[in-house]
Structures are given as structure tokens and as C-alpha cells.
């Protein structure tokens, strides 16, 4: 009887933790930041297989961030498209992928759009492409 009660107690706590997921239960919480270091507005759209974060416009020095719980099977991937309309430049890139989670620092990933490219924690990762 004790084993049954212990099992029920554990299951109730697991289900409660999964239902209230501000803190991730079995996987880490990840935060991805995208900052506008451009001298013009930045348009961005990010999405994953399950979440569409919609369109956002960032003024100079403004940032956008989102958080999520990593999937148990480590398959989370967010891609973003950034558009600098005044200078007519665009770039699409993978802002987060489970397989590269260790590149982030303490489950925080920081991207900065600058005039000469897209930076990840101060290192240039992507170049802008002209809008064709």
C-alpha cells in the first residue's frame, strides 16, 4: 500500500510541475535574445516547428527575447529572418538549435544585429544579404 501511495504522490507532483511550467521540469529553460545594434529599425520574425513568434520591429538598441523549455528529445530549433529595410539587407539564420545548446552561456543565447553582420556573443556568425 505504501508503494502505491508513494507512486500516486510522485505522479501528482510530476503532473503538477508539467502543468505549471514557468520553470521547466525535465529540461532546461532557454532564453534567446536578439538585439538591434543597427543605426536603423530592424524587422524580425522567428519561429520553430511548434511556435510562431510573429513579426516584431526593434528600434536601435532595443531587444526582443523569448524563453522556452527544451524538448525532451532535444529537437528544438528556432529560425529567424531579420530585415534592415532602410539599407535593404536581409538574413535568415538558426537562432537556436538543441544540438548547439552548449554554444549558449547558462542557457542564454545572445544575437546582435550590427551594420556589418549578425553576431553571437560578440563573434560574427552571419553576413547580411542584399534584398534582391
Amino acid at each position: 500500500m505504501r508503494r502505491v501511495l508513494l507512486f500516486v504522490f510522485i505522479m501528482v507532483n510530476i503532473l503538477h510541475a508539467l502543468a505549471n511550467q514557468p520553470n521547466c521540469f525535465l529540461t532546461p529553460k532557454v532564453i534567446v535574445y536578439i538585439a538591434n545594434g543597427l543605426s536603423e529599425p530592424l524587422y524580425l520574425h522567428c519561429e520553430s516547428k511548434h511556435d510562431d513568434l510573429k513579426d516584431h520591429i526593434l528600434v536601435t538598441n532595443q531587444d526582443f527575447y523569448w524563453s522556452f523549455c527544451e524538448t525532451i528529445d532535444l529537437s528544438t530549433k528556432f529560425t529567424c529572418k531579420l530585415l534592415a529595410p532602410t539599407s535593404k539587407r536581409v538574413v535568415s539564420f538558426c537562432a537556436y538549435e538543441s544540438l548547439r545548446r552548449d554554444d549558449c552561456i547558462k542557457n542564454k543565447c545572445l544575437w546582435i544585429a550590427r551594420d556589418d553582420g549578425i553576431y553571437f556573443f560578440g563573434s560574427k556568425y552571419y553576413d547580411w544579404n542584399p534584398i534582391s
Side-chain angles (χ1 to χ4, degrees):
M1 180 66 169
R2 282 186 181 182
R3 287 185 181 174
V4 171
L5 288 175
L6 180 61
F7 177 77
V8 169
F9 176 76
I10 291 171
M11 291 307 296
V12 166
N13 282 308
I14 289 173
L15 292 173
H16 177 72
L18 291 174
N20 302 315
Q21 226 176 3
N23 296 319
C24 303
F25 179 63
L26 297 174
T27 60
K29 178 178 179 180
V30 178
I31 304 172
V32 178
Y33 297 85
I34 297 182
N36 181 5
L38 298 171
S39 55
E40 63 180 283
L42 175 69
Y43 291 62
L44 68 96
H45 183 105
C46 299
E47 63 187 349
S48 73
K49 182 177 176 182
H50 302 288
D51 297 300
D52 185 341
L53 303 179
K54 309 292 183 205
D55 295 323
H56 297 272
I57 301 172
L58 305 180
V59 297
T60 301
N61 296 323
Q62 185 180 16
D63 66 35
F64 170 73
Y65 70 92
W66 69 96
S67 63
F68 55 92
C69 297
E70 179 63 81
T71 58
I72 292 174
D73 65 352
L74 301 176
S75 64
T76 304
K77 182 177 182 178
F78 277 92
T79 57
C80 295
K81 181 176 183 178
L82 307 182
L83 171 67
T86 305
S87 56
K88 296 184 170 69
R89 297 175 293 172
V90 66
V91 64
S92 294
F93 66 99
C94 179
Y96 179 83
E97 185 170 18
S98 299
L99 299 175
R100 294 179 41 215
R101 184 177 76 218
D102 291 341
D103 292 347
C104 300
I105 298 173
K106 295 184 180 178
N107 294 319
K108 292 179 176 69
C109 308
L110 173 62
W111 294 94
I112 302 172
R114 295 185 178 152
D115 288 324
D116 66 331
I118 309 303
Y119 287 74
F120 183 70
F121 285 111
S123 297
K124 187 175 178 181
Y125 265 61
Y126 301 101
D127 288 315
W128 289 102
N129 300 307
I131 296 175
S132 46

